[in-house]
Amino acid sequence: MAYEFTKEDLKEIENIKAKYPEVMPATLPTLWVAQRRFGHVEPEVQRLVAATLGLPEAHVHGVANFYTQYYKVKKGKHVLDVCTCLSCQLCGGYDILHHLEDKLGIKAGETTEDGTFTLNQVECLGACGYAPMLQVTNDRYVNHLTKEKVDNLIEKLKNGEELEYEQIKMPQHKNI
Amino acid sequence: MSTVDWKNYQPVLLPDIKDLYKIDIYTKNGGYEALKSILTDKKKWDGPKAVIEEVKNANIRGRGGAGFNAGLKWSFMPPADGGPRYLACNGDESEPGTFKDRKIFEYNPHVFIEGALIAAYAMEVTTIYVYIRGEYKSYIDMMEKAISDAYKKGFIGKNIFKSDFSVDFYVHSGAGAYICGEETSMLESLEGKRGYPRVKPPFPAQKGLWGRPTTINNIETLAHVPNVINKGADWFKAIGAENHPGPILYGISGHVNNPGVYELPSGIPVLDLIEVAGGMKNGKKLKAVIPGGSSTPILRADQLDGISMDSDSLRTVGSMLGTAGMVIMDEDTDIVDVLWRIAHFYHHESCGQCTPCREGTGWLEKILLKIKNGEGEVRDLDLLLDLTTQMEGRTICALADAAAWPVRFTINRFRDEFEARCTKKSHAVA
Ligand SMILES: Cc1cc2nc3c(=O)[nH]c(=O)nc-3n(C[C@H](O)[C@H](O)[C@H](O)COP(=O)(O)O)c2cc1C
Ligand code: SF4
């Protein structure tokens, strides 16, 4: 399959380039545009990014490989990144991970056969006070997880529901 | 003993005002007045140097972990030469236990934007970038909106408040790499490269982004600036601990009833802070505290009497304030497991440029895994301690130190638990 950016993508990439004095800094944001468009940045997509920016393929490849959020291989439709780092570890992050492994019938790092879910174990996502938690496909955080909440989440995602941003009040705030 | 009056403290950085994230609500509550004052009140502010002096006097110690006086850092920028100069705002926030800057993005993005604009004026910066970790997609969207609103109102852009000060302000998203929080790694990432930290010197103030003078500050550090300009350095210095003054966003996580981010004065006693966060969960006993992010040395419960959250007090018991991301552990916590998980984190995040860090973090994790699984020997503990001394101070950036400290101090402070785990196997065999 030949990958191509849409006109809107190309316009967005032009806007991105305008933020910087050189082209190279547009590498990370353009990889993001590509991943949102195609769902991954496999080598073919990396080549498209390189050609679009006029940068060496080796450079784009090196950058894509350095950063964990870029999907260098195709993932499931929904990627569940479960934090098991420090505070999540203390608050049951591994229980959540194992529950998901049992529920989905896969191990961390794997994708379900039907391609719906990829399960990962990840490092600290900066939600330590709301542990245990996970992130869905580089976007929404789902906090204060229990097994029930995880089960609900899986149902929601299977039904194609959008996830809301979970606002968590500051404990000192009453008005917000 | 700390005498900090925190019980009557009202948040000023993240005050309890509904919808403060909206620019109109922010301006209604005095927002952008500090920026206006420095740009238009020439009697009060005799140019950029006067702003730097005020901020320096306030002694806002960098909230990104290293605790360096912000105004002093600004004064290291060389004189302007007409070329581009940069401010890079560090919103990478990836040190385990740390989750405070996101609260600024969410509740009061404009206080940070205003602070960054004031810093830019003071250092004669031409472009500001805010680097936000890629996982914070929701906050990146919020910041894009806030910056675009500030452009529309004329607070960012050309001739702000009709002055001759002009500046641009952009969001740059990371893509998953803890190391990009290290300031020179962040510069590489902003330049569109892999986040390999740079050898210093040259320091960013001399050669930063695209070889031009650049200053890096944490989001919270900059967010304190508008209040310092409005209320004065003396006001700021009167809050909290003498040598580490001002409000702090404490991120409290782990085994407490009400974890979360709390804005309180610096210097609050550690044990009081646990009470503020609702006390210990399930009435358990406190076992240990990591005061300021995973790299700061762990403290046993019996070390905490009279110790408060400021660098001087924490130093007396051999720890640091770091990011003030405090992790609370109860009596049931398996310290060996915890240390292995921390070691795993640093191994995963080492960029691999320096041999002591690349190899050292790998060995730390490997040996700790062995011990965790009951297959370690007591001499492995000494091997671990020896490894930490071989990693420290021998690398390009401080990640190796950040990986070494927890291992050294956790083993030293909980040696009996590690030994107990190590002898398990020999008993079983014998
Ligand atoms: C491995 C490593 C990771 C770091 N991560 C962060 C971070 O996520 N956020 C941050 O503000 N500072 C981080 N720092 C500290 C920065 O290098 C830098 O000191 C700080 O951003 C300066 O801002 P400040 O003086 O306002 O604190 C990190 C440092 C190291 C060595
Ligand atoms: S100390 Fe570690 S993380 Fe830092 S530059 Fe060296 S290898 Fe990379």
PDB file of all heavy atoms in Angstrom, chain B residues 62-66 68 73 90 92-95 178-179 181-183 216-218 221 397-399, ligand 1:
ATOM      1  N   GLY B  62      14.467  26.226  41.212  1.00  0.00           N
ATOM      2  CA  GLY B  62      13.916  25.452  40.099  1.00  0.00           C
ATOM      3  C   GLY B  62      13.110  24.261  40.570  1.00  0.00           C
ATOM      4  O   GLY B  62      13.585  23.452  41.363  1.00  0.00           O
ATOM      5  N   ARG B  63      11.903  24.163  40.087  1.00  0.00           N
ATOM      6  CA  ARG B  63      10.994  23.103  40.536  1.00  0.00           C
ATOM      7  C   ARG B  63      11.111  21.835  39.689  1.00  0.00           C
ATOM      8  O   ARG B  63      10.338  20.914  39.848  1.00  0.00           O
ATOM      9  CB  ARG B  63       9.545  23.607  40.514  1.00  0.00           C
ATOM     10  CG  ARG B  63       9.279  24.868  41.347  1.00  0.00           C
ATOM     11  CD  ARG B  63       9.436  24.613  42.841  1.00  0.00           C
ATOM     12  NE  ARG B  63       8.750  25.625  43.642  1.00  0.00           N
ATOM     13  CZ  ARG B  63       9.336  26.485  44.460  1.00  0.00           C
ATOM     14  NH1 ARG B  63      10.657  26.497  44.576  1.00  0.00           N
ATOM     15  NH2 ARG B  63       8.635  27.341  45.171  1.00  0.00           N
ATOM     16  N   GLY B  64      12.092  21.828  38.775  1.00  0.00           N
ATOM     17  CA  GLY B  64      12.285  20.650  37.935  1.00  0.00           C
ATOM     18  C   GLY B  64      13.120  19.573  38.606  1.00  0.00           C
ATOM     19  O   GLY B  64      13.284  18.488  38.074  1.00  0.00           O
ATOM     20  N   GLY B  65      13.686  19.899  39.760  1.00  0.00           N
ATOM     21  CA  GLY B  65      14.425  18.889  40.504  1.00  0.00           C
ATOM     22  C   GLY B  65      15.770  19.352  41.022  1.00  0.00           C
ATOM     23  O   GLY B  65      16.216  18.917  42.074  1.00  0.00           O
ATOM     24  N   ALA B  66      16.426  20.255  40.300  1.00  0.00           N
ATOM     25  CA  ALA B  66      17.777  20.627  40.704  1.00  0.00           C
ATOM     26  C   ALA B  66      17.797  21.810  41.674  1.00  0.00           C
ATOM     27  O   ALA B  66      18.789  22.046  42.353  1.00  0.00           O
ATOM     28  CB  ALA B  66      18.633  20.926  39.474  1.00  0.00           C
ATOM     29  N   PHE B  68      17.792  25.150  41.307  1.00  0.00           N
ATOM     30  CA  PHE B  68      18.661  26.302  41.040  1.00  0.00           C
ATOM     31  C   PHE B  68      17.841  27.590  40.975  1.00  0.00           C
ATOM     32  O   PHE B  68      16.756  27.616  40.381  1.00  0.00           O
ATOM     33  CB  PHE B  68      19.404  26.085  39.716  1.00  0.00           C
ATOM     34  CG  PHE B  68      20.591  26.970  39.547  1.00  0.00           C
ATOM     35  CD1 PHE B  68      21.792  26.667  40.168  1.00  0.00           C
ATOM     36  CD2 PHE B  68      20.504  28.131  38.778  1.00  0.00           C
ATOM     37  CE1 PHE B  68      22.891  27.499  40.031  1.00  0.00           C
ATOM     38  CE2 PHE B  68      21.602  28.973  38.636  1.00  0.00           C
ATOM     39  CZ  PHE B  68      22.794  28.652  39.261  1.00  0.00           C
ATOM     40  N   LYS B  73      19.828  31.952  37.089  1.00  0.00           N
ATOM     41  CA  LYS B  73      20.008  31.250  35.817  1.00  0.00           C
ATOM     42  C   LYS B  73      19.763  32.202  34.642  1.00  0.00           C
ATOM     43  O   LYS B  73      20.523  32.209  33.682  1.00  0.00           O
ATOM     44  CB  LYS B  73      19.044  30.065  35.746  1.00  0.00           C
ATOM     45  CG  LYS B  73      19.323  29.139  34.566  1.00  0.00           C
ATOM     46  CD  LYS B  73      18.217  28.125  34.341  1.00  0.00           C
ATOM     47  CE  LYS B  73      18.388  26.887  35.169  1.00  0.00           C
ATOM     48  NZ  LYS B  73      17.434  25.811  34.807  1.00  0.00           N
ATOM     49  N   ASN B  90      10.186  23.283  30.264  1.00  0.00           N
ATOM     50  CA  ASN B  90      10.272  21.837  30.423  1.00  0.00           C
ATOM     51  C   ASN B  90       9.001  21.259  31.034  1.00  0.00           C
ATOM     52  O   ASN B  90       8.794  21.312  32.248  1.00  0.00           O
ATOM     53  CB  ASN B  90      11.496  21.517  31.288  1.00  0.00           C
ATOM     54  CG  ASN B  90      11.874  20.060  31.242  1.00  0.00           C
ATOM     55  OD1 ASN B  90      11.071  19.213  30.864  1.00  0.00           O
ATOM     56  ND2 ASN B  90      13.101  19.770  31.626  1.00  0.00           N
ATOM     57  N   ASP B  92       8.208  17.984  30.469  1.00  0.00           N
ATOM     58  CA  ASP B  92       8.374  16.567  30.137  1.00  0.00           C
ATOM     59  C   ASP B  92       7.852  15.671  31.266  1.00  0.00           C
ATOM     60  O   ASP B  92       7.379  14.564  31.015  1.00  0.00           O
ATOM     61  CB  ASP B  92       9.834  16.235  29.829  1.00  0.00           C
ATOM     62  CG  ASP B  92       9.952  14.871  29.162  1.00  0.00           C
ATOM     63  OD1 ASP B  92       9.279  14.678  28.144  1.00  0.00           O
ATOM     64  OD2 ASP B  92      10.664  13.999  29.665  1.00  0.00           O
ATOM     65  N   GLU B  93       7.967  16.188  32.496  1.00  0.00           N
ATOM     66  CA  GLU B  93       7.366  15.532  33.665  1.00  0.00           C
ATOM     67  C   GLU B  93       7.296  14.007  33.595  1.00  0.00           C
ATOM     68  O   GLU B  93       6.224  13.439  33.394  1.00  0.00           O
ATOM     69  CB  GLU B  93       5.952  16.086  33.869  1.00  0.00           C
ATOM     70  CG  GLU B  93       5.283  15.579  35.136  1.00  0.00           C
ATOM     71  CD  GLU B  93       4.406  16.621  35.791  1.00  0.00           C
ATOM     72  OE1 GLU B  93       4.959  17.412  36.565  1.00  0.00           O
ATOM     73  OE2 GLU B  93       3.200  16.668  35.524  1.00  0.00           O
ATOM     74  N   SER B  94       8.412  13.368  33.735  1.00  0.00           N
ATOM     75  CA  SER B  94       8.408  11.899  33.630  1.00  0.00           C
ATOM     76  C   SER B  94       9.082  11.183  34.786  1.00  0.00           C
ATOM     77  O   SER B  94       9.212   9.961  34.756  1.00  0.00           O
ATOM     78  CB  SER B  94       9.110  11.468  32.342  1.00  0.00           C
ATOM     79  OG  SER B  94       8.622  12.173  31.243  1.00  0.00           O
ATOM     80  N   GLU B  95       9.556  11.913  35.791  1.00  0.00           N
ATOM     81  CA  GLU B  95      10.211  11.247  36.924  1.00  0.00           C
ATOM     82  C   GLU B  95       9.138  10.569  37.776  1.00  0.00           C
ATOM     83  O   GLU B  95       8.223  11.230  38.255  1.00  0.00           O
ATOM     84  CB  GLU B  95      10.978  12.301  37.743  1.00  0.00           C
ATOM     85  CG  GLU B  95      11.434  11.799  39.091  1.00  0.00           C
ATOM     86  CD  GLU B  95      12.919  11.472  39.164  1.00  0.00           C
ATOM     87  OE1 GLU B  95      13.534  11.236  38.102  1.00  0.00           O
ATOM     88  OE2 GLU B  95      13.446  11.455  40.284  1.00  0.00           O
ATOM     89  N   TYR B 178      11.726   9.397  28.758  1.00  0.00           N
ATOM     90  CA  TYR B 178      11.993  10.107  30.015  1.00  0.00           C
ATOM     91  C   TYR B 178      13.212  11.004  29.883  1.00  0.00           C
ATOM     92  O   TYR B 178      13.237  12.120  30.404  1.00  0.00           O
ATOM     93  CB  TYR B 178      12.221   9.086  31.130  1.00  0.00           C
ATOM     94  CG  TYR B 178      12.907   9.599  32.378  1.00  0.00           C
ATOM     95  CD1 TYR B 178      12.246  10.445  33.262  1.00  0.00           C
ATOM     96  CD2 TYR B 178      14.209   9.228  32.693  1.00  0.00           C
ATOM     97  CE1 TYR B 178      12.868  10.901  34.419  1.00  0.00           C
ATOM     98  CE2 TYR B 178      14.836   9.677  33.850  1.00  0.00           C
ATOM     99  CZ  TYR B 178      14.163  10.515  34.703  1.00  0.00           C
ATOM    100  OH  TYR B 178      14.790  10.958  35.835  1.00  0.00           O
ATOM    101  N   ILE B 179      14.208  10.531  29.155  1.00  0.00           N
ATOM    102  CA  ILE B 179      15.467  11.259  29.092  1.00  0.00           C
ATOM    103  C   ILE B 179      15.272  12.673  28.534  1.00  0.00           C
ATOM    104  O   ILE B 179      16.047  13.576  28.830  1.00  0.00           O
ATOM    105  CB  ILE B 179      16.532  10.470  28.283  1.00  0.00           C
ATOM    106  CG1 ILE B 179      17.927  11.089  28.431  1.00  0.00           C
ATOM    107  CG2 ILE B 179      16.164  10.340  26.825  1.00  0.00           C
ATOM    108  CD1 ILE B 179      18.436  11.167  29.844  1.00  0.00           C
ATOM    109  N   GLY B 181      13.488  14.869  29.454  1.00  0.00           N
ATOM    110  CA  GLY B 181      13.341  15.854  30.515  1.00  0.00           C
ATOM    111  C   GLY B 181      14.674  16.454  30.917  1.00  0.00           C
ATOM    112  O   GLY B 181      14.739  17.542  31.477  1.00  0.00           O
ATOM    113  N   GLU B 182      15.755  15.736  30.643  1.00  0.00           N
ATOM    114  CA  GLU B 182      17.094  16.285  30.883  1.00  0.00           C
ATOM    115  C   GLU B 182      17.267  17.423  29.889  1.00  0.00           C
ATOM    116  O   GLU B 182      16.967  17.272  28.702  1.00  0.00           O
ATOM    117  CB  GLU B 182      18.149  15.186  30.681  1.00  0.00           C
ATOM    118  CG  GLU B 182      19.519  15.539  31.210  1.00  0.00           C
ATOM    119  CD  GLU B 182      20.347  16.451  30.317  1.00  0.00           C
ATOM    120  OE1 GLU B 182      20.103  16.448  29.092  1.00  0.00           O
ATOM    121  OE2 GLU B 182      21.208  17.178  30.824  1.00  0.00           O
ATOM    122  N   GLU B 183      17.749  18.569  30.366  1.00  0.00           N
ATOM    123  CA  GLU B 183      17.592  19.773  29.564  1.00  0.00           C
ATOM    124  C   GLU B 183      18.266  19.734  28.187  1.00  0.00           C
ATOM    125  O   GLU B 183      17.685  20.202  27.208  1.00  0.00           O
ATOM    126  CB  GLU B 183      18.041  21.010  30.342  1.00  0.00           C
ATOM    127  CG  GLU B 183      19.458  20.934  30.897  1.00  0.00           C
ATOM    128  CD  GLU B 183      19.773  22.152  31.754  1.00  0.00           C
ATOM    129  OE1 GLU B 183      18.841  22.790  32.270  1.00  0.00           O
ATOM    130  OE2 GLU B 183      20.971  22.449  31.894  1.00  0.00           O
ATOM    131  N   ILE B 216      16.547  26.958  29.985  1.00  0.00           N
ATOM    132  CA  ILE B 216      15.543  25.923  30.228  1.00  0.00           C
ATOM    133  C   ILE B 216      14.991  26.097  31.635  1.00  0.00           C
ATOM    134  O   ILE B 216      15.753  26.200  32.595  1.00  0.00           O
ATOM    135  CB  ILE B 216      16.140  24.503  30.088  1.00  0.00           C
ATOM    136  CG1 ILE B 216      16.629  24.266  28.654  1.00  0.00           C
ATOM    137  CG2 ILE B 216      15.107  23.436  30.432  1.00  0.00           C
ATOM    138  CD1 ILE B 216      18.098  24.392  28.476  1.00  0.00           C
ATOM    139  N   ASN B 217      13.678  26.160  31.740  1.00  0.00           N
ATOM    140  CA  ASN B 217      13.035  26.198  33.049  1.00  0.00           C
ATOM    141  C   ASN B 217      11.862  25.240  33.098  1.00  0.00           C
ATOM    142  O   ASN B 217      11.198  25.007  32.093  1.00  0.00           O
ATOM    143  CB  ASN B 217      12.511  27.609  33.375  1.00  0.00           C
ATOM    144  CG  ASN B 217      13.535  28.510  34.017  1.00  0.00           C
ATOM    145  OD1 ASN B 217      13.753  29.628  33.563  1.00  0.00           O
ATOM    146  ND2 ASN B 217      14.176  28.031  35.071  1.00  0.00           N
ATOM    147  N   ASN B 218      11.611  24.767  34.283  1.00  0.00           N
ATOM    148  CA  ASN B 218      10.462  23.910  34.542  1.00  0.00           C
ATOM    149  C   ASN B 218       9.160  24.742  34.481  1.00  0.00           C
ATOM    150  O   ASN B 218       9.173  25.951  34.720  1.00  0.00           O
ATOM    151  CB  ASN B 218      10.651  23.280  35.930  1.00  0.00           C
ATOM    152  CG  ASN B 218       9.421  22.557  36.408  1.00  0.00           C
ATOM    153  OD1 ASN B 218       8.658  23.058  37.239  1.00  0.00           O
ATOM    154  ND2 ASN B 218       9.202  21.374  35.881  1.00  0.00           N
ATOM    155  N   THR B 221       8.259  26.397  37.859  1.00  0.00           N
ATOM    156  CA  THR B 221       9.182  27.502  38.142  1.00  0.00           C
ATOM    157  C   THR B 221       8.660  28.778  37.484  1.00  0.00           C
ATOM    158  O   THR B 221       8.552  29.837  38.117  1.00  0.00           O
ATOM    159  CB  THR B 221      10.587  27.191  37.571  1.00  0.00           C
ATOM    160  OG1 THR B 221      11.012  25.912  38.033  1.00  0.00           O
ATOM    161  CG2 THR B 221      11.591  28.256  37.960  1.00  0.00           C
ATOM    162  N   CYS B 397      25.109  12.853  31.419  1.00  0.00           N
ATOM    163  CA  CYS B 397      24.021  13.512  32.141  1.00  0.00           C
ATOM    164  C   CYS B 397      23.815  12.839  33.480  1.00  0.00           C
ATOM    165  O   CYS B 397      24.495  11.881  33.828  1.00  0.00           O
ATOM    166  CB  CYS B 397      22.738  13.536  31.312  1.00  0.00           C
ATOM    167  SG  CYS B 397      21.655  12.120  31.529  1.00  0.00           S
ATOM    168  N   ALA B 398      22.842  13.355  34.238  1.00  0.00           N
ATOM    169  CA  ALA B 398      22.656  12.887  35.617  1.00  0.00           C
ATOM    170  C   ALA B 398      21.740  11.678  35.722  1.00  0.00           C
ATOM    171  O   ALA B 398      21.403  11.270  36.829  1.00  0.00           O
ATOM    172  CB  ALA B 398      22.129  14.037  36.474  1.00  0.00           C
ATOM    173  N   LEU B 399      21.339  11.088  34.602  1.00  0.00           N
ATOM    174  CA  LEU B 399      20.471   9.910  34.716  1.00  0.00           C
ATOM    175  C   LEU B 399      21.184   8.778  35.449  1.00  0.00           C
ATOM    176  O   LEU B 399      20.577   8.064  36.249  1.00  0.00           O
ATOM    177  CB  LEU B 399      19.971   9.419  33.351  1.00  0.00           C
ATOM    178  CG  LEU B 399      18.968   8.259  33.445  1.00  0.00           C
ATOM    179  CD1 LEU B 399      17.814   8.421  32.486  1.00  0.00           C
ATOM    180  CD2 LEU B 399      19.626   6.902  33.247  1.00  0.00           C
TER     181      LEU B 399
HETATM  182  C1  LIG C   1      17.337  12.351  33.623  1.00  0.00           C
HETATM  183  C2  LIG C   1      16.744  13.694  33.938  1.00  0.00           C
HETATM  184  C3  LIG C   1      15.391  13.910  33.733  1.00  0.00           C
HETATM  185  C4  LIG C   1      14.828  15.160  33.989  1.00  0.00           C
HETATM  186  N1  LIG C   1      13.483  15.338  33.800  1.00  0.00           N
HETATM  187  C5  LIG C   1      12.928  16.560  34.024  1.00  0.00           C
HETATM  188  C6  LIG C   1      11.544  16.796  33.784  1.00  0.00           C
HETATM  189  O1  LIG C   1      10.798  15.891  33.373  1.00  0.00           O
HETATM  190  N2  LIG C   1      11.047  18.041  34.001  1.00  0.00           N
HETATM  191  C7  LIG C   1      11.845  19.060  34.437  1.00  0.00           C
HETATM  192  O2  LIG C   1      11.359  20.171  34.604  1.00  0.00           O
HETATM  193  N3  LIG C   1      13.153  18.872  34.680  1.00  0.00           N
HETATM  194  C8  LIG C   1      13.712  17.652  34.473  1.00  0.00           C
HETATM  195  N4  LIG C   1      15.051  17.478  34.692  1.00  0.00           N
HETATM  196  C9  LIG C   1      15.854  18.636  35.118  1.00  0.00           C
HETATM  197  C10 LIG C   1      16.264  19.472  33.914  1.00  0.00           C
HETATM  198  O3  LIG C   1      17.466  18.961  33.377  1.00  0.00           O
HETATM  199  C11 LIG C   1      16.486  20.938  34.263  1.00  0.00           C
HETATM  200  O4  LIG C   1      17.341  21.002  35.354  1.00  0.00           O
HETATM  201  C12 LIG C   1      15.228  21.696  34.622  1.00  0.00           C
HETATM  202  O5  LIG C   1      14.249  21.555  33.634  1.00  0.00           O
HETATM  203  C13 LIG C   1      15.562  23.150  34.779  1.00  0.00           C
HETATM  204  O6  LIG C   1      14.441  23.883  35.176  1.00  0.00           O
HETATM  205  P1  LIG C   1      14.337  24.556  36.622  1.00  0.00           P
HETATM  206  O7  LIG C   1      15.668  25.178  36.915  1.00  0.00           O
HETATM  207  O8  LIG C   1      13.248  25.544  36.476  1.00  0.00           O
HETATM  208  O9  LIG C   1      14.003  23.462  37.569  1.00  0.00           O
HETATM  209  C14 LIG C   1      15.641  16.215  34.462  1.00  0.00           C
HETATM  210  C15 LIG C   1      16.997  15.986  34.663  1.00  0.00           C
HETATM  211  C16 LIG C   1      17.552  14.752  34.418  1.00  0.00           C
HETATM  212  C17 LIG C   1      19.004  14.535  34.645  1.00  0.00           C
END
